[in-house]
């Protein structure tokens, strides 16, 4: 079988709390693991998208509207829909498998992911919404 769910692939989460949200595959586990014996992947996604910014907004309001909220999740392959797009933001060094296990590590990984995605949005290189 051809392996097409590779890291940096943009996907849409289909099930659960973040259904319909866009995410990026950070790491994929095709054969599964001991505790998850099915194909799954670690995704970093966007919980809250940036709002539309208009010209008359103040700089403070523009900064608030440009904020992004993120999530990290282990998702079954059956519950993601791959897109044809890839994201060239490297999240491998920020998000690891052990960052999902503990609460404090997850929070710090989410903050780092949020900074990378916000910076990406502000440069205008890749629209998130």
């Amino acid at each position: 079988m051809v392996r097409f769910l590779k890291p940096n692939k943009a996907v849409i989460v289909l099930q659960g709390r973040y259904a319909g949200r866009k995410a990026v595959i950070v790491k994929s586990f095709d054969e599964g693991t001991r505790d998850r014996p099915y194909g799954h992947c670690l995704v970093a996604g966007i919980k809250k998208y940036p709002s539309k910014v208009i010209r008359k907004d103040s700089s403070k309001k523009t900064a608030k509207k440009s904020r992004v909220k993120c999530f990290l999740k282990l998702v079954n392959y059956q519950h993601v829909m791959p897109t044809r797009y890839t994201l060239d933001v490297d999240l491998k060094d920020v998000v690891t498998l052990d960052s999902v296990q503990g609460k404090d590590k997850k929070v710090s990984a989410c903050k780092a992911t949020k900074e990378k995605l916000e910076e990406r949005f502000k440069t205008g290189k890749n629209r998130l919404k």
Side-chain angles (χ1 to χ4, degrees):
M1 190 167 126
V2 180
R3 190 177 152 220
F4 61 94
L5 290 170
K6 295 177 182 157
N8 296 339
K9 184 76 144 165
V11 295
I12 297 172
V13 180
L14 299 176
Q15 297 287 324
R17 180 178 181 182
Y18 302 113
R21 298 287 178 191
K22 295 178 184 113
V24 179
I25 295 177
V26 178
K27 187 169 182 178
S28 57
F29 304 94
D30 291 327
E31 303 301 316
T33 57
R34 182 175 287 188
D35 54 335
R36 291 174 186 260
Y38 46 84
H40 60 282
C41 54
L42 174 63
V43 297
I46 302 168
K47 191 189 297 188
K48 185 179 175 198
Y49 297 107
S51 302
K52 186 174 182 179
V53 177
I54 55 176
R55 196 178 313 146
K56 71 176 185 179
D57 285 343
S58 64
S59 59
K60 190 176 179 183
K61 196 165 189 179
T62 303
K64 186 171 175 142
K65 283 185 170 184
S66 297
R67 287 192 189 136
V68 173
K69 281 193 173 181
C70 299
F71 67 89
L72 302 175
K73 195 172 172 75
L74 282 166
V75 186
N76 189 336
Y77 280 159
Q78 304 291 320
H79 301 155
V80 293
M81 182 173 73
T83 63
R84 62 182 176 171
Y85 302 105
T86 56
L87 197 71
D88 60 347
V89 175
D90 191 31
L91 299 171
K92 266 190 179 164
D93 53 338
V94 177
V95 182
T96 57
L97 188 60
D98 59 314
S99 65
V100 180
Q101 314 301 58
K103 179 77 173 167
D104 53 338
K105 286 183 182 178
K106 191 171 188 176
V107 169
S108 61
C110 268
K111 283 183 182 175
T113 305
K114 171 187 158 113
E115 286 172 12
K116 286 205 172 201
L117 291 175
E118 276 183 359
E119 183 235 318
R120 175 85 176 165
F121 176 73
K122 285 175 184 166
T123 57
K125 204 170 180 187
N126 216 17
R127 296 292 306 265
L128 299 173
K129 194 172 179 187

